[in-house]
Amino acid sequence: MVIRHTDPAYGPDARNRLPETADPSPTGAYAALESFYYALNNRDAQALREDWSDHPLAQLNNPLGGVLRGGDAVAGLYEKIFTGPVRVEVTFGDVVEYVGADHAVFAGREVGTYTGPDGVPVPLRIRTTRYFRYEDGRWRQFHHHGSIDDAEALAAYQRAVTG
């Protein structure tokens, strides 16, 4: 297993590398991670769905969805975000990665903005951990945990996205 600190900066310029997730090496895990940020920043619900596992215990714990289990539930939350009035753009960086033969954990920070109908960007900072696993011939995301430290910023973000 490899443990190291990196700063990959997957953000609005991230690429859709889903075909590369079939590579069983860590390169495939990095492709899955970058593909997630491509999907998020480009509001690509299909790419996001392909990045996440279908497993019923795949789990998302984040400021907007609470605790959701299963790929369908996760995809449903992101679909609401993507079709809603708020535009989210973040860059994932300051990462400590834990990469093994069939699993990878990336723990770092998402820094960016969300912009509502008024067009005013609001800063967004989220502590983030993402877990990927190589299974059934490709790397897929099985878990995400995100937290916003500032209670006022969290409440404002939740109001903006969920109404």
Side-chain angles (χ1 to χ4, degrees), residues 72-158:
D72 290 338
V74 171
L77 172 68
Y78 281 107
E79 180 116 4
K80 287 178 188 173
I81 294 168
F82 293 168
T83 59
V86 172
R87 173 91 183 166
V88 176
E89 284 194 352
V90 295
T91 298
F92 184 59
D94 188 23
V95 176
V96 174
E97 58 186 55
Y98 310 82
V99 180
D102 63 356
H103 69 277
V105 176
F106 302 98
R109 301 176 191 279
E110 292 174 343
V111 177
T113 61
Y114 66 91
T115 305
D118 62 3
V120 177
V122 178
L124 188 60
R125 296 185 180 284
I126 303 174
R127 287 180 289 116
T128 298
T129 302
R130 297 190 180 279
Y131 170 72
F132 293 82
R133 180 167 188 78
Y134 189 80
E135 191 169 280
D136 298 327
R138 58 184 289 217
W139 288 91
R140 295 188 87 177
Q141 191 166 179
F142 276 75
H143 180 76
H144 160 66
H145 180 257
S147 298
I148 296 175
D149 293 328
D150 182 310
E152 289 179 25
L154 170 59
Y157 180 50
Q158 289 171 325

Side-chain angles (χ1 to χ4, degrees), residues 18-91:
L18 286 169
E20 296 171 60
T21 64
D23 181 341
S25 76
T27 299
Y30 302 130
L33 178 65
E34 184 172 0
S35 294
F36 172 80
Y37 284 98
Y38 163 82
L40 178 63
N41 285 298
N42 289 282
R43 300 176 119 182
D44 187 331
Q46 182 63 37
L48 186 128
R49 183 68 185 95
E50 290 179 38
D51 192 66
W52 267 89
S53 171
D54 292 329
H55 196 284
L57 295 179
Q59 184 166 311
L60 174 133
N61 303 353
N62 84 359
L64 298 175
V67 176
L68 298 175
R69 289 197 177 112
D72 290 338
V74 171
L77 172 68
Y78 281 107
E79 180 116 4
K80 287 178 188 173
I81 294 168
F82 293 168
T83 59
V86 172
R87 173 91 183 166
V88 176
E89 284 194 352
V90 295
T91 298

